[in-house]
């Protein structure tokens, strides 16, 4: 019997030609299962995880029967090339590993359709020489990186398309409803999450990726339906660690694709728009992991439907879109096979170089452990997830750049300090994640331009030019859990997200927690402002008070201190009015149309997955019908709120005056500033000049310089040092500064009637690109503040404290705004 005859084509399995329908995720999985079941010894299919909604995440491995039978040996040998696996690699018979990732953005939905066409061709070689190519190449396919997002799009589309697709772009099938299928379940962009791995899809996928380490990674996307196809080589800026080989090979790939596109007369572009800088994309992250990482972009995302009439008057069909993606997939496998030897050789060099020489100006990064113990925990997870090896200091001293003072200083190495060297296989990732300033050779970039870990995690760190020695384990022993026996109460310093989890766990059990609004001293030990105080007498209704508190502390990894008295040596006693009960607030957040889906998703994820505290997500469209009195707090994520929601005499303002607390984020703060809530946005020089009759030759600009001109006002994402008033509850647990990721030019006049908790005075930009005019504007203003309004208050964050959930240092600030600020006021009085 003919093997080919047993392998079902997509059309024979699905019952329709590819391109005539959008295929739901479960059917894509069934098709791959059917292929595996048809028994070709040239394919292996596995489930590597599941999404938030429970959909399977899968991988297919396709090669020759010989290679598939030898798959584990090929994997181990490939890892040996990197040094991440011990043993000497065999380089006599090089095999290229090509990893194709489809549909990371769920509404770029031609991608997974193309995956089915591609796997079928790889297994059958009907129209190409695939069989030959696979002799020295293993293809790993992830048919759908984001199944929850894809099905959100496909289910919606299939529910409105009707019998006959309508190519008129005004038809509703081309207008996807909020939040769209781009993001995952919690509205996170998975193509910004590769390095941070805050989402379950990334965590499970990259674990697999790290076991394979392909030489080529292709990330399949779609862009607006009027755009021609985009493939490598990428646009500037390129990060400086990208090697000449990686640059050159992008050209080799691009020219191979162009051969096929030219033959068909298809339009395409290269070298524009999609740059290689931000480390958390599906192209850059693989590049910093030694691969040739590439983004492929077809026109048609979200609005392409099954067919759409473009601005040129042509009709673009789903069939066209998947055929283009199919073509670059097969061309990539071809070019990998033709260059397998060189790919493997240069891949090995990439890691050998890092291991032998380290990467970049600084060979070691030292993260101070003392006082930062709780902050090191998420950092350890981040490093492990990225395959980075780290150790700890023992003793001695060193000299290096202090990230927080921007000066070179001599400092002591202490037990508990974390040491990360670039002389290791993942040295390139180390450099990219820790470098104090990223070199940018072109400022027109697609994303943020600064992300250095010490700022994002708020941990005191040094960049050292010499390689420092380290020991593999942390020699600091944490104090033992509180002693048993009768206690008066417990103390916990307020310093990290772990403490927030501890607090919410206590609140959910109905345990009363107080907070000291003054520093105090007990038994010769100094306790800073903001300590949690849990007292037995306040919790008489809790059976087994002591055991219950200790159990919760154990579950949330919290080190408590037991005390036998409420009488302090210095400062407020536990019965003082300065030690106030923290009430468990009832929290709501607006979401839906007019709200940023990413912003609302971050708040939702924070409550559900990070601090485990209940939140009511309310559609902004329902805001006029909400009984606000049932909530103590309303969070307004970035968005543009309509229907006079924020009007000075509206329901929401009345609710705040009566005791509600409004927490406004990012762009919403700017909207509030325009609605008389007591804060004013700083004006740009252009605003100030309006109406003046000036004769300014600088206004005469060259048309061709338009993009360069606009960059002067641009701030795609850079880091600013904010001075904090840490005597205000909003900044409890922080030093006198905080590093914010600023993505716009919004800054507010110092509040006359309110608390300027986070301000920038002089030019405070520390890392990243900020346009010259933007820099001039971003000084002498407030970014984080609180205004008392009647019995309630407004708290605002001009920037996003929860940015992509990787901006660790903002998470406690946000918790403070929820649990600490305004306690004692509000509805509880
Ligand atoms: Zn995309």
């Amino acid at each position: 019997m003919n093997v080919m005859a047993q392998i079902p084509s997509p059309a024979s399995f699905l019952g329709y030609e590819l391109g005539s329908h959008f295929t739901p995720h479960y059917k894509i999985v069934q098709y791959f299962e059917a292929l595996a079941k048809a028994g070709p010894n040239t394919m292996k299919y596995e489930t590597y995880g599941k999404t938030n909604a429970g959909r399977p995440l899968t991988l297919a491995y396709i090669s020759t029967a010989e290679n598939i039978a030898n798959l584990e040996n090929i994997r181990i040998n490939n890892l040996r090339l990197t040094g991440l696996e011990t043993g000497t690699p065999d380089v006599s018979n090089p095999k290229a590993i090509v990893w194709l990732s489809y549909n990371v953005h769920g509404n770029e939905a031609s991608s997974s359709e193309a995956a089915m066409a591609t796997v079928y061709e790889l297994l059958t070689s009907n129209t190409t020489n695939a069989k030959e190519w696979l002799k020295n190449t293993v293809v790993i396919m992830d048919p759908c990186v984001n199944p929850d997002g894809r099905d959100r799009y496909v289910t919606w589309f299939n529910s409105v398309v009707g019998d006959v697709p309508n190519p008129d772009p005004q038809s509703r099938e081309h207008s996807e409803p909020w939040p769209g299928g781009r993001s995952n379940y919690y509205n996170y962009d998975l193509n910004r999450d590769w390095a941070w791995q805050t989402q379950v899809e990334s965590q499970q996928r990259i674990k697999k990726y790290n076991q394979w380490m392909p030489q080529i990674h292709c990330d399949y996307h779609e862009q607006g339906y009027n755009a021609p196809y985009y493939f490598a080589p990428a646009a500037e800026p390129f990060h400086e660690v990208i090697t000449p080989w990686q640059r050159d090979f992008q050209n080799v790939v691009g020219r191979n694709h162009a051969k096929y596109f030219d033959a068909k007369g298809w339009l395409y572009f290269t070298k524009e728009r999609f740059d290689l800088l931000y480390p958390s994309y599906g192209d850059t992250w693989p590049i910093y992991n030694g691969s040739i990482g590439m983004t492929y972009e077809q026109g048609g995302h979200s609005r392409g439907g099954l067919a759409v009439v473009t601005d040129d008057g042509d009709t673009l069909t789903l069939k066209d879109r998947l055929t283009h993606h199919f073509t670059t997939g097969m061309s990539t496998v071809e070019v990998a096979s033709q260059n397998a030897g060189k790919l493997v050789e240069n891949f090995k060099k990439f890691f050998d170089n890092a291991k032998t020489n380290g990467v970049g100006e600084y060979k070691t990064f030292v993260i101070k452990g003392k006082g930062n113990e709780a902050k090191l925990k998420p950092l350890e997870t981040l490093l492990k997830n990225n395959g980075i090896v780290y150790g700890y200091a023992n003793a001695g001293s060193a000299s290096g750049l202090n990230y927080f003072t921007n000066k070179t200083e001599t400092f002591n190495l202490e037990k508990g300090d974390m040491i990360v060297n670039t002389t290791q296989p993942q040295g390139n990732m180390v450099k990219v994640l820790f470098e104090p300033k990223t070199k940018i050779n072109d400022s027109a970039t697609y994303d943020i331009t600064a992300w250095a870990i010490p700022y994002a995690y708020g941990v005191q760190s040094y960049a050292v030019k010499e390689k420092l020695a380290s020991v593999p384990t942390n020699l600091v022993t944490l104090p033992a859990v509180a002693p048993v026996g009768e206690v008066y109460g417990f103390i916990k310093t307020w310093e990290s997200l772990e403490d927030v989890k501890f607090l919410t766990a206590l609140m959910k059990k109905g345990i009363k927690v107080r907070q000291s609004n003054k520093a105090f001293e007990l038994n010769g030990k100094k306790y800073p402002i903001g300590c949690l105080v849990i007292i037995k007498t306040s919790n008489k209704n809790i059976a087994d008070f002591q055991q219950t508190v200790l159990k919760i502390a154990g579950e949330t990894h919290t080190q408590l201190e037991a005390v036998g008295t409420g009488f302090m040596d210095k400062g407020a006693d536990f019965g003082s009015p300065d030690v106030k009960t923290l009430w468990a607030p009832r929290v709501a957040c607006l979401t839906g149309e007019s709200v940023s889906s990413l912003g609302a998703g971050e708040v939702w994820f924070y409550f559900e997955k990070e601090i485990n505290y209940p939140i009511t997500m309310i559609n902004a469209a329902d805001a006029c019908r909400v009984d606000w009195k049932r909530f103590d707090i309303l969070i307004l994520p970035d968005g543009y709120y309509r229907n006079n929601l924020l009007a000075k005499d509206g329901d929401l303002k009345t609710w705040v005056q009566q005791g509600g607390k409004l927490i406004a984020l990012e762009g919403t703060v700017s909207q509030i500033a325009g609605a008389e809530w007591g804060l004013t946005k700083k004006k740009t020089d252009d605003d100030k000049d309006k109406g003046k009759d000036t004769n300014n030759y600088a206004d005469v600009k060259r048309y061709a310089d338009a993009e360069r001109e606009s960059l002067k006002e641009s701030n795609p994402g850079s880091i600013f040092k904010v001075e904090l008033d840490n005597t205000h509850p909003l900044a409890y647990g922080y030093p006198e500064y905080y590093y914010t990721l600023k993505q716009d030019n919004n800054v507010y006049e110092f509040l006359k009637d309110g608390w300027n908790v986070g301000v920038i005075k002089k030019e405070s930009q520390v890392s990243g690109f900020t346009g010259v005019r933007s820099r001039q504007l971003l000084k002498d203003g407030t970014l984080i503040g609180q205004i008392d309004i009647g019995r309630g208050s407004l708290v605002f964050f001009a920037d996003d404290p929860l940015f992509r959930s990787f901006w660790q240092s903002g998470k406690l600030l946000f918790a403070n705004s929820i649990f600490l600020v305004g306690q004692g006021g509000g509805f509880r009085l």
Side-chain angles (χ1 to χ4, degrees):
M1 194 173 168
N2 182 343
V3 175
M4 294 246 309
Q6 296 170 10
I7 297 175
S9 69
S12 71
F13 179 83
L14 299 168
Y16 52 81
E17 288 293 330
L18 279 182
S20 63
H21 288 81
F22 280 108
T23 312
H25 182 254
Y26 78 92
K27 271 200 178 174
I28 297 168
V29 172
Q30 284 178 353
Y31 177 58
F32 275 79
E33 282 170 352
L35 293 175
K37 208 172 161 191
N41 46 14
T42 52
M43 174 184 174
K44 191 187 151 210
Y45 188 50
E46 68 175 14
T47 298
Y48 66 85
K50 63 179 183 187
T51 66
N52 287 295
R55 293 186 175 87
L57 296 162
T58 67
L59 284 178
Y61 304 81
I62 306 109
S63 193
T64 59
E66 191 191 349
N67 288 337
I68 291 295
N70 197 30
L71 205 55
E72 182 60 7
N73 287 332
I74 292 174
R75 184 185 75 79
I76 299 273
N77 193 60
N78 190 65
L79 269 191
R80 284 181 176 149
L81 296 169
T82 66
L84 293 166
E85 173 78 35
T86 52
T88 312
D90 172 8
V91 291
S92 65
N93 183 15
K95 300 264 192 291
I97 319 277
V98 177
W99 186 302
L100 308 174
S101 288
Y102 295 89
N103 232 146
V104 60
H105 291 143
N107 60 4
E108 301 174 1
S110 77
S111 310
S112 293
E113 310 290 340
M116 290 188 279
T118 307
V119 69
Y120 182 63
E121 176 59 28
L122 287 171
L123 292 174
T124 57
S125 296
N126 280 336
T127 59
T128 63
N129 272 332
K131 205 173 269 177
E132 279 302 307
W133 303 336
L134 292 173
K135 283 181 180 165
N136 63 357
T137 305
V138 175
V139 179
I140 304 176
M141 290 179 78
D142 190 328
C144 189
V145 172
N146 177 14
D148 292 350
R150 179 185 171 85
D151 270 5
R152 195 156 63 230
Y153 173 78
V154 169
T155 307
W156 163 77
F157 183 87
N158 288 344
S159 76
V160 297
V161 64
D163 282 345
V164 185
N166 186 337
D168 183 341
Q170 299 172 100
S171 166
R172 71 167 166 173
E173 72 212 59
H174 303 290
S175 177
E176 199 188 0
W178 195 96
R182 177 183 173 90
S183 56
N184 79 344
Y185 191 90
Y186 283 95
N187 297 343
Y188 278 69
D189 185 336
L190 295 177
N191 191 34
R192 301 293 184 277
D193 193 44
W194 279 74
W196 324 126
Q197 299 169 43
T198 69
Q199 300 301 298
V200 289
E201 293 89 349
S202 318
Q203 288 159 5
Q204 297 168 103
R205 183 182 70 255
I206 292 169
K207 206 170 161 192
K208 270 292 179 196
Y209 186 104
N210 286 338
Q211 291 166 11
W212 274 96
M213 301 293 284
Q215 279 78 40
I216 294 186
H217 179 262
C218 305
D219 209 32
Y220 279 89
H221 289 264
E222 291 196 291
Q223 53 188 332
Y225 62 77
N226 286 308
Y229 201 94
Y230 163 83
F231 49 72
E236 295 287 346
F238 277 47
H239 193 282
E240 62 175 314
V241 302
I242 298 173
T243 64
W245 156 257
Q246 286 174 317
R247 282 174 175 260
D248 290 349
F249 200 75
Q250 292 223 342
N251 270 300
V252 175
V253 174
R255 289 191 185 279
N256 206 56
H257 295 347
K259 188 175 74 187
Y260 292 103
F261 277 57
D262 288 344
K264 299 276 187 183
W266 296 334
L267 269 182
Y268 55 88
F269 68 102
T270 64
K271 304 182 282 289
E272 291 178 76
R273 256 198 96 191
F274 301 100
D275 64 86
L276 299 175
L277 194 70
Y278 172 70
S280 213
Y281 290 131
D283 50 18
T284 47
W285 190 89
I287 288 178
Y288 305 151
N289 279 269
S291 186
I292 308 296
M294 293 174 291
T295 291
Y296 295 161
E297 296 266 359
Q298 164 62 40
H301 91 292
S302 176
R303 304 195 61 198
L306 289 175
V308 67
V309 177
T310 67
D311 288 356
D312 290 344
D314 296 329
T315 300
L316 174 73
T317 65
L318 178 60
K319 181 83 186 165
D320 298 331
R321 289 154 60 193
L322 78 91
T323 305
H324 300 159
H325 269 344
F326 165 81
T327 303
T328 55
M330 297 310 296
S331 167
T332 302
V333 178
E334 177 184 35
V335 79
S337 175
Q338 287 166 350
N339 296 277
K342 274 192 244 163
L343 276 167
V344 167
E345 182 192 325
N346 284 282
F347 178 75
K348 184 171 182 299
K349 252 189 216 162
F350 181 91
F351 292 95
D352 285 348
N353 264 337
K355 276 183 287 185
T356 316
N357 307 317
V359 184
E361 185 184 1
Y362 301 107
K363 299 289 180 274
T364 298
F365 299 95
V366 180
I367 302 97
K368 294 302 285 178
K370 202 169 181 189
N372 285 329
E373 288 83 2
K375 289 176 187 165
L376 291 197
K377 218 180 279 178
L379 180 54
E380 287 178 354
T381 306
L382 177 83
L383 297 179
K384 278 181 197 151
N385 288 349
N386 282 284
I388 293 168
V389 177
Y390 55 90
Y392 293 89
N394 193 359
S397 69
S399 173
L401 177 81
N402 181 337
Y403 281 75
F404 289 2
T405 63
N406 200 26
K407 288 182 185 130
T408 299
E409 298 169 4
T410 300
F411 62 98
N412 285 330
L413 292 164
E414 297 166 289
K415 282 181 184 173
D417 290 350
M418 192 188 261
I419 305 267
V420 190
N421 290 320
T422 62
T423 46
Q424 60 169 305
Q426 290 293 24
N428 286 279
M429 266 321 278
V430 173
K431 167 170 164 64
V432 172
L433 292 178
F434 280 91
E435 59 192 353
K437 286 187 167 59
T438 299
K439 199 189 270 178
I440 304 163
N441 53 7
D442 188 321
S443 37
T445 173
Y446 211 60
D447 209 276
I448 62 170
T449 57
W451 47 78
I453 294 300
Y455 301 124
Y457 280 62
V459 281
Q460 170 81 331
S461 304
Y462 295 88
V464 178
K465 290 189 174 165
E466 297 77 37
K467 183 185 173 179
L468 297 181
S470 66
V471 292
T473 46
N474 194 340
L475 299 171
V476 171
T477 47
L478 288 167
V481 181
V484 280
E486 280 301 295
V487 298
Y488 184 85
F490 297 97
I491 303 173
K492 177 66 190 85
T493 48
W494 184 252
E495 56 194 354
S496 75
L497 194 65
E498 300 289 310
D499 301 327
V500 181
K501 289 179 199 170
F502 174 58
L503 173 66
T504 59
L506 292 171
M507 282 178 164
K508 283 194 288 185
K509 282 268 187 225
I511 294 171
K512 266 192 204 149
V513 183
R514 293 164 186 252
Q515 181 164 48
S516 180
N517 292 300
K518 281 197 173 147
F520 60 89
E521 274 185 52
L522 178 64
N523 300 329
K525 188 174 169 185
K526 287 181 179 173
Y527 292 87
I529 194 168
C531 282
L532 300 182
V533 176
I534 309 126
I535 303 168
K536 194 175 175 182
T537 48
S538 312
N539 287 291
K540 284 184 188 134
N541 56 331
I542 306 290
D544 287 333
F545 165 77
Q546 198 162 320
Q547 285 313 313
T548 310
V549 173
L550 286 173
K551 186 165 173 267
I552 293 170
E555 285 162 2
T556 54
H557 313 287
T558 306
Q559 299 284 337
L560 288 181
E561 289 178 68
V563 287
T565 175
F567 187 94
M568 299 302 109
D569 303 340
K570 279 185 189 164
D573 296 327
F574 289 168
S576 153
D578 279 321
V579 184
K580 288 201 178 95
T581 302
L582 296 177
W583 299 101
R586 300 162 297 174
V587 187
C589 174
L590 289 192
T591 187
E593 295 285 352
S594 82
V595 184
S596 152
S597 63
L598 297 174
E602 283 168 358
V603 174
W604 184 25
F605 183 81
Y606 179 80
F607 275 82
E608 281 206 353
K609 299 286 184 185
E610 299 205 282
I611 65 168
N612 310 316
Y613 192 78
I615 185 165
T616 304
M617 301 296 289
I618 297 174
N619 276 325
D622 296 333
C624 53
R625 295 192 282 276
V626 172
D627 178 6
W628 295 116
K629 280 244 162 132
R630 282 159 60 182
F631 301 101
D632 304 303
I633 295 175
L634 175 64
I635 299 167
L636 298 183
D638 189 24
Y640 192 81
Y641 296 90
R642 297 189 177 86
N643 304 324
N644 285 324
L645 185 69
L646 299 172
K648 60 176 177 177
D649 47 4
D651 289 353
L652 219 47
K653 188 77 173 276
T654 307
W655 167 77
V656 172
Q657 278 160 342
Q658 289 171 348
K661 179 166 64 183
L662 196 67
I663 301 174
L665 297 160
E666 302 179 81
T668 306
V669 184
S670 165
Q671 200 186 347
I672 283 178
E676 297 183 39
W677 284 68
L679 81 161
T680 313
K681 193 162 148 185
K682 287 197 78 174
K683 287 195 166 60
T684 63
D685 291 341
D686 280 1
D687 292 337
K688 288 177 195 158
D689 288 345
K690 258 176 210 150
K692 279 188 205 164
D693 184 17
T694 50
N695 197 350
N696 191 346
Y697 292 131
D699 289 344
V700 182
K701 291 167 184 136
R702 272 173 62 81
Y703 186 68
D705 296 337
E707 190 184 5
R708 296 290 126 193
E709 277 297 318
S710 74
L711 285 174
K712 289 182 180 170
E713 283 173 22
S714 112
N715 183 15
S718 59
I719 299 171
F720 281 69
K721 185 172 188 173
V722 176
E723 294 179 35
L724 281 186
D725 171 5
N726 61 4
T727 65
H728 189 286
L730 189 48
Y732 279 4
Y734 281 81
E736 286 164 339
Y737 46 80
Y738 164 70
Y739 291 88
T740 192
L741 183 76
K742 193 111 201 68
Q743 295 181 277
D744 57 28
N745 294 333
N746 292 344
V747 57
Y748 300 88
E749 300 283 2
F750 294 131
L751 303 169
K752 290 195 177 67
D753 294 308
W755 302 105
N756 297 285
V757 180
V759 301
I760 42 174
K761 290 179 185 165
K762 50 187 187 301
E763 281 200 23
S764 317
Q765 198 250 28
V766 296
S767 185
F769 169 80
T770 310
V772 53
R773 297 242 287 274
S774 170
R775 269 180 99 131
Q776 286 163 357
L777 183 67
L778 288 170
K779 58 185 174 192
D780 298 324
T782 295
L783 295 177
I784 302 165
Q786 188 227 337
I787 304 172
D788 291 321
I789 298 172
R791 291 173 61 179
S793 70
L794 166 70
V795 181
F796 62 89
F797 294 94
D799 307 321
D800 184 359
L802 304 176
F803 184 68
R804 293 177 189 163
S805 282
F806 94 89
W807 206 259
Q808 293 290 341
S809 62
K811 291 178 182 177
L812 185 64
L813 270 179
F814 193 57
N816 289 348
S817 76
I818 298 157
F819 297 106
L820 312 191
V821 173
Q823 286 279 358
F827 295 123
R828 304 286 181 175
L829 267 179

